[in-house]
Amino acid sequence: MQAKALATFADVPRRTRSLLDEWEHTMTTPHLGSTAAGDRAETIEQAMRSFLAGDPLRFISEATSLSSWDLLGILSGRIADRGEKQRSAALRDRCSSTAKILVQEMERFEQLMSAGIDVLDVPKVLAALGVQLDVPIAVEMLRSMPIVKDIHGRVSNVPEGLPIDALSLLYATGFARGLTPDHELALGRMDPSSIAEIRNFLGPSFSYKKTARILGLIEATAKAIRAGDVAGISYSDYEEIAWAHSGEEGDTTANPTASWPVPAKDLRRRLGQGFWETALNSVGLQLPSANDRFGPTDFVKASRGFMESYGSFGSPKDVSSYDSWVIAETAAGRDRPSVIAIRRHFGAWESVIGAVMPPEVGEEEFAGLVELCRTQNSVEEQWARAGELVSDVLANMPWNSFLSIDYGDETDGPRRPYAQANPSADGVWCEIVSEEFLPADEWPIDTDYLVRNGWSAPDEEVPNWHKQGVPPLEAGHQLLEGLARGRRCHDPETVRWHSGDFPGGPGPDGGVILDFDPGGVVRNLRRAS
């Protein structure tokens, strides 16, 4: 079947362009429609959906006619913990399935290459020939031949997790939670093979008391998981626990290469196939936060790794190049911080790529600028996280209900900015308080910003600035941006909201408010008392 398909490529050089043209004509953008005639708000909403679905930043830029820098700025104000998790999961799934297809098509792939077709055009030709291939992802994966070899090796020889890996992860999680070892439960419930696995791994010189404590803690963690407690442990926390325990006697007697708990990098590679979240999922746990996948060293390694191989992906000054590298690394089984996460960590993109600071800027001044950017990025992330939460609330509210958002506290006086929203079948109706109810001499307002971003001015029917038909995914961000920029509300820590129902509805539910921990980070939604 494959040989017959290849026989039609006797004149590949002459037919390549027509095949590519055919692909371009028939291939529809997976997550973005034409946005040339659409307004900016629709473009932003579509770009966000595309990013969450795992589309490459370069691909989104071409589809929206927005520069990668513009997209980074837009997405950074909308993507936080939930968005990072969603994109990461989408990338893993798409890269995994695409890698398998490319390996299956390797013979045809090599023949197309030998016929003179550029490597980045091969996925388009394969798609034109009927191969069900994720072309945007495949193109990014094929930009680096060394990574292609890693992908081939990973698909052909995926490392399998060992029983001791899962036991080690359960032990470290229980230790991090401060659980009490349950020795009787361990003896009565644990599989004898697991007990033998631990004993053989630790060696005979490891005291019976410590071995019993380890077995009891593993089973106590397993019991908590069975009861529905699926909160996992971060990669960096696991590393710290493994390092702290590595000096205990007896951990190398039976197996000189063994270490208890199992080193984090080995556990992530074998049990998670390169991904910490996958490792947690394999034992029934979930990642506490998207940021918990990475510690400070992971960001440094990502920066250095990108700088060592950016030539295959484009200019290091183009953020889409880093995003392409992350996709290729994901396909090779190496989890890396997203373009948004790494920019937030380092503060400025110049810090990410290790660029030489401008000669007119001194070292101390440059460090100060980077720290300022980090602070601004932190605030931006808080707004993004709040936007995710508000959007989630709006997406799950009944149509006869409303959400009211208030800004400020008692020190700001009785008259403060507010926004309100009402979900419906056509999207979310959004309002920002106008000058009629909060004059500019009492609280600043940027009407130019509101007009530029699609807000309709107050009129006789609607006395507030308003916007209708906003998708729930985008509504929370639109409302908070309207407050932050349109009404100059700069502190996300003072945002509070409550929900309710219009007359005739099921009645108020007590409302929900945004809760912050002492560090100013959004924690969760909790019921109002």
Side-chain angles (χ1 to χ4, degrees), residues 131-153:
V131 177
Q132 299 299 309
L133 186 64
D134 190 334
V135 175
I137 293 295
V139 169
E140 303 302 346
M141 288 167 52
L142 296 175
R143 291 185 183 277
S144 170
M145 285 300 104
I147 290 182
V148 170
K149 293 180 181 178
D150 292 342
I151 294 171
H152 189 277

Side-chain angles (χ1 to χ4, degrees), residues 9-72:
F9 269 76
D11 56 346
V12 164
R14 180 166 58 82
R15 292 199 56 207
T16 299
R17 187 66 261 162
S18 62
L19 280 168
L20 293 177
D21 288 342
E22 177 185 347
W23 178 85
E24 295 286 359
H25 178 71
T26 58
M27 176 71 173
T28 57
T29 305
H31 306 286
L32 287 178
S34 173
T35 59
D39 61 21
R40 181 175 173 81
E42 181 181 353
T43 301
I44 290 174
E45 192 269 334
Q46 291 177 324
M48 185 178 171
R49 288 187 181 277
S50 187
F51 186 80
L52 293 175
D55 285 338
L57 198 62
R58 193 192 314 269
F59 179 70
I60 303 173
S61 178
E62 293 174 355
T64 60
S65 298
L66 292 171
S67 72
S68 57
W69 277 105
D70 285 340
L71 285 170
L72 179 62

Side-chain angles (χ1 to χ4, degrees), residues 36 45 78 104 120 146 171 191-192 194 221 294 314 415 418 422 424 452 478 481 505 522:
E45 192 269 334
R78 286 163 168 73
Q104 293 171 0
L120 299 185
Y171 169 78
D191 190 308
S194 295
T221 308
F294 307 110
R415 290 163 63 83
Y418 64 84
N422 168 225
S424 70
R452 286 198 312 271
Q478 290 277 341
E481 284 181 358
V522 181

